[in-house]
Amino acid sequence: MTKLVVLGLLLASCGSVNSTPDNPTDAGADADPDPSTLSIVSVDPDNAATGVAATATIVIRFDTPMDQPSVEAAWQSTDLPPDQLAFAWDAAGTTLTVTPPPLELASGTGLDPSVVAARAYAYTIATTAKGLDGRSLDQARSVSFTTLRRLEVELEAVDVLTRSMRADGVVFAEGAATLTVGDSSGNLQTKSFATFALPTLPANSTVDAATLRANQNSINGAPYAFGDLAALHTSNSPIDNAAFVATPLAVIGAISVDGAAGAKTLSVTAQLVDDLANRAARGDRTQYRLEFATPNNANGIADEARFSRSGFALTVAYVIP
């Protein structure tokens, strides 16, 4: 009996040594972090982030109120020199927002973004950054990230659907070098269509801009007495009487307001995005109809704005991480 009692006492004693304390402050709990230093809690953009926008700001959060001049003096970067930055703090003094000038985006052309290397940025917060309580940053924090890449592609014109048409149903030749908008000497309204094949943009890309361009060679008579030359978003094939009077998908706005020769441009970003979203229904095309609101002035004189066929273009810019 005595031996059994002694053995039980020994087993109980061993169990008490290996048991986990109920109170985490008891012996065996994790040691506290070094109380003589402070830390950066988070950064935005994250380290190694990709696809950062040109308008991005940098946000750094600390675990304690900071001595702000010491933090700003601890900023180190050849890509983002401090004299080009704006530093702003929250009321608590724990969050620093750094606003740089617009960040650069690597640029290129075509539909293969792999040929364009992203623009990289890097900065370091040195250990000279201090808190209001005098503690220093536990270690230097270095962060790097890359911005979006921006590429442009010029769409291919669909010649059979890029042509002029008169109100009596006459469709001008597909190969005509000049397209006209206005009215004829017979007081018949003339409109022109510009149609382009939709691109297949790379996965994960976003349309940044789409610009329709038309080159006005000259005018005959006084076509701008009819008002501004409007561009309408349409989707018609073939070019026929139905296309001539079809209700547009949208009235975009004026592409030209006077007879001055030269390039005329108009943003069609929303229309291009809409066509991409509905590309099957729109025959993989994006189309625009140019016309004056007033059909004719019944003066028996041709009043025309004349455009070069080769001067019609549509450029799409897209961004990708």
Side-chain angles (χ1 to χ4, degrees), residues 182-189 226 294-303:
D183 73 355
S184 68
S185 59
N187 302 317
L188 294 170
Q189 184 178 24
F226 298 143
T294 302
N296 63 75
N297 57 12
N299 65 357
I301 299 173
D303 297 292

Side-chain angles (χ1 to χ4, degrees), residues 137-216:
L137 189 63
D138 56 358
Q139 59 182 346
R141 183 70 172 267
S142 294
V143 178
S144 63
F145 59 86
T146 57
T147 54
L148 289 163
R149 293 168 288 169
R150 189 179 191 271
L151 287 83
E152 290 187 350
V153 58
E154 189 161 306
L155 305 192
E156 181 180 355
V158 180
D159 288 340
V160 71
L161 299 176
T162 299
R163 54 208 303 185
S164 300
M165 182 178 175
R166 212 165 57 198
D168 60 356
V170 172
V171 180
F172 296 0
E174 177 182 333
T178 301
L179 281 70
T180 63
V181 186
D183 73 355
S184 68
S185 59
N187 302 317
L188 294 170
Q189 184 178 24
T190 303
K191 303 180 183 181
S192 285
F193 295 79
T195 311
F196 305 88
L198 286 172
T200 300
L201 297 178
N204 301 319
S205 64
T206 302
V207 173
D208 185 53
T211 304
L212 176 65
R213 185 174 70 252
N215 190 68
Q216 184 168 257

Side-chain angles (χ1 to χ4, degrees), residues 193-271:
F193 295 79
T195 311
F196 305 88
L198 286 172
T200 300
L201 297 178
N204 301 319
S205 64
T206 302
V207 173
D208 185 53
T211 304
L212 176 65
R213 185 174 70 252
N215 190 68
Q216 184 168 257
N217 287 342
S218 62
I219 62 170
N220 184 64
Y224 287 92
F226 298 143
D228 295 340
L229 178 57
L232 287 64
H233 184 206
T234 55
S235 180
N236 299 108
S237 179
I239 304 303
D240 56 13
N241 288 329
F244 194 85
V245 299
T247 301
L249 297 169
V251 177
I252 307 168
I255 191 169
S256 180
V257 298
D258 58 42
K264 312 289 184 174
T265 60
L266 182 66
S267 172
V268 293
T269 306
Q271 290 70 40

Side-chain angles (χ1 to χ4, degrees), residues 21-205:
D22 293 331
N23 187 340
T25 63
D26 290 345
D30 291 339
D32 289 334
D34 183 353
S36 66
T37 61
L38 57 90
S39 300
I40 291 177
V41 175
S42 65
V43 294
D44 183 22
D46 289 334
N47 187 37
T50 60
V52 174
T55 56
T57 58
I58 297 167
V59 180
I60 305 168
R61 296 178 177 86
F62 298 87
D63 64 358
T64 192
M66 300 299 293
D67 172 46
Q68 298 171 14
S70 75
V71 177
E72 294 171 22
W75 177 277
Q76 300 174 352
S77 176
T78 56
D79 301 308
L80 299 164
D83 60 352
Q84 297 181 11
L85 308 175
F87 295 95
W89 291 85
D90 69 341
T94 58
T95 300
L96 171 62
T97 299
V98 181
T99 303
L103 301 175
E104 294 178 7
L105 305 186
S107 61
T109 59
L111 294 170
D112 182 7
S114 68
V115 301
V116 178
R119 170 70 160 93
Y121 285 88
Y123 67 89
T124 296
I125 304 295
T127 56
T128 51
K130 296 183 180 297
L132 288 178
D133 56 9
R135 291 183 297 153
S136 298
L137 189 63
D138 56 358
Q139 59 182 346
R141 183 70 172 267
S142 294
V143 178
S144 63
F145 59 86
T146 57
T147 54
L148 289 163
R149 293 168 288 169
R150 189 179 191 271
L151 287 83
E152 290 187 350
V153 58
E154 189 161 306
L155 305 192
E156 181 180 355
V158 180
D159 288 340
V160 71
L161 299 176
T162 299
R163 54 208 303 185
S164 300
M165 182 178 175
R166 212 165 57 198
D168 60 356
V170 172
V171 180
F172 296 0
E174 177 182 333
T178 301
L179 281 70
T180 63
V181 186
D183 73 355
S184 68
S185 59
N187 302 317
L188 294 170
Q189 184 178 24
T190 303
K191 303 180 183 181
S192 285
F193 295 79
T195 311
F196 305 88
L198 286 172
T200 300
L201 297 178
N204 301 319
S205 64

